[in-house]
Amino acid sequence: MLAAREHWGSRFGFIMATAGSAIGLGNIWRFPYMAGENGGSAFILIYLAVVVTFGISLVMAEMVLGRVTQRNPVGAFRALGGRGWALAGGLGVLTGFVILSFYVVVAGWTLAYIVFMAGNQLPTADPAVLGRHFSGFVGRTFSPLFAATIFMGLTAWIVAGGVGKGIERASKVLMPLLFVLLLVLVARSVTLPGADPGLAFLLTPDFSRVTIDTIISATAQAFFSLSIGMGVMITYGSYLPRNVNIPRSTLIIVLLDVGVAVLAALMVLPAVFAVGLDPSAGPGLTFITLPAVFASMPFGNLFGTLFFALLAIAALTSAVSILEPMIAWAVDEHGIGRGAATLAASLVCLLLAIPASLSFGPLSDTTLAGKTFFDWMDFLANNVMLPLGGLLVASFVGWRWAKPACTHLTNDGTLRLPWLTAWIWLLRVGAPVAIVALVWQAVSTP
Ligand code: TRP
């Protein structure tokens, strides 16, 4: 017999935890620079279209799998599809190790930047100097790893506390704090003198910059941002009591995720335009361009510190959700204690984080096909493993388990959902086509 499974204490707690998973570095670090590189609001509109079709469909599919089986990804697939399908869950657990190992590296940088900002160590508005500071810091051997270790420790501490006393409790405090910080920073950014061109860039779609690559990047961004494809939503869904309205909760979570991404773009891009910097600076936008923006505004250190705190909080609740499926798997399937499982999984991730972090310094020349260790982890996870995981969920629910899925999604017929058939066909055909296009593009462009 299994011990009784722990459940979320409240719907609010569940929504904060799940929104906490979705809202992460993907929204605040990646989304603004992707929008900046890809024609502003044209990219945002395409991203929104993907989110409301495939994104929502896949989140609901994962959640219903978890709630019905009350199991981790491996156990959920095994219970419904047998041993072959359990491998799909296994892929998810494996993907979690890969993602977390590089996620903690970038998250560690955000912790370091809180310290740099608060300690007034970046008092220049010259992007060239800030660029050298950034590459100098991430290229060091020990300090970035030390920061990643602290971040991993915080993540493990929350997860070891359990579903209710750890994850839910932390999310109920951290997420509202995140929303407040975000609103303060957006208000600051859009009222800067010279912010208008940035707002215009965000509000007038430039479809001439849209190519097939833009569409595919928007798709990848939507999947990553909604935490689809490695069983996070299966695991979080497995802590749901049976009577929750999954479609309604999904809608709230997705709206929060999209809202934060768009607000993050509204926070970053007008400020970048206001000081005359380049919005298409790529991944360095957050760590190089933004400190320049802060240096040129009154109380910049304060706003800069708040900004990196916001980023660290967003990353923390996401990292928690990447760790949890592995722990649920170890606990459910192997009877390992929660604390021991958390410690072991965290140590494995930290070990893998070493080469990921050193990819920016001592190992920057150790490449395979032009990619460093970090690049490979990022590429494999985002462009191969996560899409494949999403494909397996979509095919399983769409083709093998469609009838029960509809029964469970409607809570045995008590919810009226006029779009059920559309949902199933999006899972059967729409999502797989989008995913295959995404993987194809990723592996065929060098
Ligand atoms: N969605 C998070 C972000 O935007 C990252 C994340 C958390 C994630 N859990 C995930 C991505 C699971 C893929 C799969 O940063």
Side-chain angles (χ1 to χ4, degrees):
M1 263 312 280
L2 290 166
R5 191 175 193 76
E6 204 184 338
H7 287 113
W8 303 109
S10 65
R11 197 175 78 115
F12 177 72
F14 159 66
I15 288 181
M16 287 300 109
T18 314
S21 166
I23 297 166
L25 295 174
N27 302 59
I28 300 173
W29 169 60
R30 202 156 181 277
F31 186 79
Y33 82 73
M34 295 287 284
E37 280 178 339
N38 288 293
S41 55
F43 175 85
I44 298 182
L45 289 175
I46 297 167
Y47 161 84
L48 290 178
V50 177
V51 165
V52 295
T53 51
F54 313 130
I56 292 194
S57 302
L58 277 160
V59 172
M60 290 193 303
E62 283 201 19
M63 252 183 219
V64 79
L65 284 175
R67 190 185 60 174
V68 168
T69 56
Q70 301 278 300
R71 282 305 186 107
N72 66 89
V74 177
F77 270 110
R78 186 186 294 121
L80 301 174
R83 287 186 44 201
W85 278 102
L87 293 174
L91 172 72
V93 171
L94 194 68
T95 310
F97 278 102
V98 179
I99 300 189
L100 195 53
S101 305
F102 68 80
Y103 206 82
V104 294
V105 172
V106 180
W109 302 345
T110 69
L111 290 184
Y113 268 74
I114 297 179
V115 176
F116 297 154
M117 277 289 160
N120 197 14
Q121 292 180 42
L122 305 169
T124 166
D126 180 353
V129 176
L130 290 163
R132 280 197 296 278
H133 177 93
F134 176 67
S135 30
F137 170 70
V138 302
R140 290 216 291 244
T141 304
F142 291 109
S143 351
L145 273 173
F146 178 68
T149 307
I150 293 189
F151 188 86
M152 189 70 237
L154 287 171
T155 308
W157 176 58
I158 294 176
V159 169
V163 177
K165 294 221 171 69
I167 302 176
E168 183 172 353
R169 194 160 71 175
S171 309
K172 284 200 303 203
V173 178
L174 293 174
M175 294 312 290
L177 180 62
L178 179 144
F179 298 134
V180 173
L181 285 178
L182 186 64
L183 292 178
V184 169
L185 288 161
V186 172
R188 171 66 280 200
S189 176
V190 299
T191 52
L192 283 172
D196 290 357
L199 285 172
F201 177 75
L202 277 177
L203 299 176
T204 35
D206 177 4
F207 283 103
S208 71
R209 304 235 338 235
V210 171
T211 62
I212 188 79
D213 282 3
T214 320
I215 300 177
I216 291 174
S217 317
T219 308
Q221 172 65 22
F223 284 8
F224 185 79
S225 185
L226 291 172
S227 309
I228 294 166
M230 59 153 283
V232 169
M233 296 298 167
I234 298 180
T235 310
Y236 276 20
S238 78
Y239 303 127
L240 277 177
R242 306 238 170 226
N243 55 1
V244 165
N245 183 332
I246 289 184
R248 183 181 304 154
S249 304
T250 303
L251 189 66
I252 299 175
I253 290 156
V254 168
L255 285 176
L256 287 172
D257 184 55
V258 168
V260 170
V262 172
L263 283 175
L266 265 181
M267 159 177 76
V268 171
L269 294 172
V272 169
F273 275 88
V275 291
L277 291 167
D278 180 9
S280 54
L285 192 63
T286 295
F287 294 101
I288 299 169
T289 312
L290 281 183
V293 173
F294 294 127
S296 34
M297 65 166 75
F299 303 107
N301 275 335
L302 174 67
F303 288 110
T305 309
L306 293 181
F307 171 78
F308 285 104
L310 167 79
L311 204 55
I313 291 171
L316 185 57
T317 49
S318 293
V320 161
S321 81
I322 305 175
L323 183 56
E324 178 59 25
M326 315 166 195
I327 306 309
W329 164 71
V331 172
D332 293 351
E333 306 297 312
H334 301 284
I336 301 173
R338 195 173 181 88
T342 308
L343 185 65
S346 306
L347 288 176
V348 171
C349 288
L350 273 181
L351 221 58
L352 285 169
I354 294 174
S357 178
L358 298 183
S359 296
F360 297 91
L363 294 183
S364 61
D365 293 327
T366 313
T367 56
L368 186 66
K371 284 186 165 55
T372 61
F373 195 86
F374 182 98
D375 296 337
W376 271 108
M377 290 168 86
D378 181 12
F379 174 80
L380 282 178
N382 288 326
N383 297 311
V384 183
M385 298 170 86
L386 283 177
L388 190 60
L391 184 66
L392 291 171
V393 168
S395 321
F396 182 79
V397 174
W399 292 104
R400 267 222 44 187
W401 196 64
K403 256 219 150 93
C406 291
T407 311
H408 290 295
L409 196 72
T410 56
N411 292 353
D412 299 318
T414 50
L415 303 177
R416 299 212 136 272
L417 307 174
W419 40 260
L420 267 186
T421 317
W423 178 55
I424 292 297
W425 282 99
L426 274 171
L427 293 175
R428 284 187 177 167
V429 182
V433 168
I435 291 172
V436 169
L438 193 163
V439 176
W440 179 259
Q441 186 244 18
V443 291
S444 61
T445 44

